Amino acid sequence: MKPTSEKLEMQEKSAFRMHLFVGGSFLVFGLFSGSLLNLFTIIGLLVVIFAQIETVTFDKDLGYLIFKHQQPFICKTKIIKHLLQDISGVEIQKLEDSESIKYRVCLVLFSGKRCVPLTSYFSTGFSDKQKTAQVIATFLNTKNYGLDGFPRQPNLSEEMQWETVEEEIVHWESATATDSNDADARVKLAFALLRQDEIKNKEQAIACLKQAENVLESQGYHEDAMYVAQIWRAIWWRLLKT
């Protein structure tokens, strides 16, 4: 971390180093097998070439949170920005399986409606995540929710009960017309259309989901965008057989 009064910068290279190690191992194994074009060599080259360095910068002068994804071997850089004023807190997410418990730090946006992870992956080292979360919270003068997470409450619109699916469709159509960047409303509209008549409305529903995917991707919510993409592809494949 490189903190100043107006800027906090964090660079994550552990995943980059891991990709270099794994890719290098495949390359060495492939070369020792006596061929430059075998599967191990190709995999190793791809892993090394597409390895990336992630830099996160909180810039008070510019008023932005800036994600920089740099792939040095192909000279490619991707920049994603979020307004600092949209950050309402910091939390730590946990991923637990039979072998280990891993964590990552996330920034809560829009009063808990969605969060943005600092890294695309989970890793061990809870104390390091605690320290990072506290440094960010102190720098931004915002709430550190830690491992408990933001106390999310159901959205009022989600608690509403419609007498008919047509009434629900009208509601979400109005919501998407009012705010073209409301990806959640587009997803709910798609599901309402499918409940009404999945055969007749499948193209419109899938179009809504694709629009939601594009909105989420443009806003930097890559994991949510990927999840929505999986949904519309599954729907498309299932209805293709009907």
Side-chain angles (χ1 to χ4, degrees), residues 2-235:
K2 302 176 181 179
T4 66
S5 60
E6 297 299 321
K7 184 180 290 187
L8 173 63
E9 182 178 290
M10 294 176 287
Q11 191 172 78
E12 178 55 60
K13 289 187 176 181
S14 58
F16 177 74
R17 296 190 187 99
M18 179 59 69
H19 278 89
L20 292 184
F21 175 77
V22 173
S25 299
F26 273 88
L27 278 171
V28 170
F29 187 85
L31 292 174
F32 272 100
S33 66
S35 174
L36 293 176
L37 296 177
N38 59 36
L39 181 60
F40 291 101
T41 305
I42 295 173
I43 292 176
L45 281 173
L46 291 174
V47 172
V48 170
I49 288 174
F50 291 103
Q52 67 178 15
I53 300 172
E54 299 180 355
T55 305
V56 181
T57 304
F58 300 84
D59 195 320
K60 290 182 179 179
D61 287 332
L62 298 177
Y64 280 105
L65 159 65
I66 304 170
F67 286 90
K68 181 180 179 182
H69 303 277
Q70 184 181 11
Q71 295 174 311
F73 296 109
I74 57 175
C75 299
K76 182 179 179 181
T77 301
K78 184 175 183 180
I79 302 292
I80 299 171
K81 296 181 179 180
H82 296 281
L83 289 171
L84 289 181
Q85 65 186 29
D86 289 340
I87 300 174
S88 61
V90 187
E91 67 179 8
I92 299 175
Q93 293 183 338
K94 179 173 71 172
L95 179 65
E96 186 172 359
D97 55 34
S98 58
E99 297 181 355
S100 63
I101 302 177
K102 298 180 180 180
Y103 310 89
R104 69 179 178 183
V105 178
C106 291
L107 304 170
V108 182
L109 303 185
F110 306 115
S111 299
K113 186 176 181 181
R114 184 169 286 110
C115 66
V116 175
L118 291 190
T119 60
S120 57
Y121 54 89
F122 291 79
S123 61
T124 56
F126 178 61
S127 60
D128 292 337
K129 307 301 186 296
Q130 280 184 311
K131 180 180 179 181
T132 299
Q134 188 54 49
V135 168
I136 295 172
T138 301
F139 179 77
L140 297 177
N141 192 26
T142 190
K143 180 71 175 179
N144 181 6
Y145 297 102
L147 195 56
D148 293 332
F150 180 85
R152 292 170 173 82
Q153 299 295 330
N155 189 286
L156 291 177
S157 61
E158 294 176 353
E159 296 177 342
M160 297 173 63
Q161 297 295 321
W162 291 275
E163 293 184 2
T164 65
V165 68
E166 287 75 18
E167 183 180 342
E168 182 180 357
I169 289 173
V170 170
H171 172 83
W172 294 121
E173 283 179 337
S174 176
T176 57
T178 303
D179 183 1
S180 60
N181 291 320
D182 191 341
D184 296 310
R186 293 187 183 278
V187 171
K188 292 181 174 65
L189 173 58
F191 286 133
L193 288 167
L194 291 172
R195 286 198 301 273
Q196 182 190 48
D197 190 329
E198 67 175 20
I199 302 300
K200 179 182 177 181
N201 297 335
K202 66 178 181 180
E203 291 185 5
Q204 185 181 355
I206 290 175
C208 287
L209 291 170
K210 287 183 177 180
Q211 290 167 356
E213 177 192 357
N214 292 334
V215 170
L216 291 168
E217 188 68 34
S218 68
Q219 294 175 340
Y221 306 119
H222 303 298
E223 291 188 346
D224 290 342
M226 188 181 302
Y227 176 68
V228 172
Q230 290 172 349
I231 292 175
W232 73 254
R233 289 190 180 104
I235 293 171

